[in-house]
């Protein structure tokens, strides 16, 4: 890292509160944030997810208070104030038979809110290829897959046609495939870099965004990003005080993130985070990777991925 870049980073103060974020972005010369990991669900599912986090000590061994427990309209307004102008509405299924309704809800939610991206999810069941084709034809911008919650193998044969369509359309897929955050008693045998590696060996042109930097298998997922040019890593919860207690990012790994600068994108997990949104930006800032790295990660890389889908 150059001395000039280090001085620039030292001169820029990280945001401590959400109210500080607009000034922070202005100092970086950015018009906003390209956050690719934001959740919106149908209200009943939202309430069920929040109830799960209310029992976080049972599941994770530590409290996990939802910082942004508010209505969908209030959450959209919060994101607008923070500078997230294109809002993912990522959702996922935890059992068969959910995907059709979830994807229909995603389409309706995006149609009702111009700032919301048309999103969808996958599940290994018959008819999935046809559902994804319909979503692609309808302007699909982003897909979310949660390997552990959905208990699916990324290379399941029932998903093969969907992966082929998404690769061809260059639709980014945010995939939670790491074995963390650790949940007591959860089977994570289908998670980890091996299944994603098998998927990419068959579909090397997939635009995958590995959630949470792949925590805790940081290096193994970075290996995949280095091997496959359309694999990206998102920053969701990485480096925050909350997550450093259980899945710390090794200091030596920061050098890899510097080298992978064009392949790292912002993720937050809003609204299901136990701290203010600004703390995610503060965590990235204190890694000391410089303003150019922050500019690319917070804005340019995510915008590029979405734009590539738009012209595919």
């Amino acid at each position: 890292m150059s001395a000039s870049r280090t001085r620039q980073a030292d001169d820029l103060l990280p945001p401590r509160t959400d109210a500080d974020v607009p000034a922070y972005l202005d100092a970086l010369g950015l018009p906003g944030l390209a956050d690719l990991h934001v959740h919106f669900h149908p209200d009943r599912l939202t309430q069920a997810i929040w109830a799960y986090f209310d029992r976080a000590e049972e599941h994770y061994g530590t409290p996990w208070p939802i910082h942004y427990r508010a209505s969908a309209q209030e959450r959209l307004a919060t994101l607008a104030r923070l500078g997230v102008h294109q809002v993912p509405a990522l959702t996922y299924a935890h059992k068969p038979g959910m995907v059709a309704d979830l994807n229909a809800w995603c389409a309706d939610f995006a149609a009702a809110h111009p700032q919301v991206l048309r999103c969808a999810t996958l599940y290994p069941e018959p008819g999935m290829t046809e559902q994804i084709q319909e979503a692609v034809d309808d302007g699909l911008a982003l897909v979310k897959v949660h390997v552990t919650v959905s208990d699916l193998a990324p290379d399941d044969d029932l998903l093969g046609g969907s992966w082929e369509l998404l690769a061809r359309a260059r639709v980014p897929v945010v995939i939670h495939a790491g074995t963390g955050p650790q949940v007591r008693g959860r089977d994570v045998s289908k998670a980890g870099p091996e299944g994603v590696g098998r998927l990419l060996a068959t579909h090397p042109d997939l635009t995958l965004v590995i959630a949470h930097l792949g925590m805790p298998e940081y290096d193994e997922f970075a290996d995949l990003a280095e091997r496959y040019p359309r694999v990206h890593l998102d920053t969701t919860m990485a480096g925050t005080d909350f997550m450093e207690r259980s899945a710390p990012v090794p200091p030596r790994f920061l050098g890899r993130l510097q080298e992978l600068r064009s392949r790292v994108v912002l993720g937050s997990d809003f609204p299901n985070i136990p701290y203010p949104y600004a703390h995610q930006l503060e965590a990235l800032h204190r890694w000391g990777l410089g303003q150019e790295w922050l500019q690319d990660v917070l804005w340019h890389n995510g915008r590029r991925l979405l734009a590539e889908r738009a012209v595919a």
Side-chain angles (χ1 to χ4, degrees), residues 220-243:
E220 292 89 339
F221 281 105
D223 290 343
L224 292 176
E226 290 174 350
R227 190 176 310 147
Y228 295 97
R230 299 202 60 77
V231 173
H232 295 67
L233 310 171
D234 91 23
T235 64
T236 302
M237 301 190 78
T240 62
D241 294 346
F242 181 83
M243 200 53 68

Side-chain angles (χ1 to χ4, degrees), residues 134-157:
E134 181 180 351
V136 168
D137 293 342
D138 192 38
L140 181 63
L142 206 58
V143 168
K144 174 63 189 289
V145 176
H146 201 308
V147 171
T148 53
V149 170
S150 298
D151 189 29
L152 62 83
D155 58 338
D156 191 300
D157 289 343

Side-chain angles (χ1 to χ4, degrees), residues 40 43 46-47 50 66-76 78 270-271:
F40 281 87
D43 187 62
T46 296
Q47 297 304 321
W50 287 350
I66 301 296
H67 193 81
Y68 296 97
R69 193 186 296 251
S71 70
Q73 287 300 131
E74 290 172 311
R75 283 177 272 141
L76 286 171
T78 295
F270 177 97

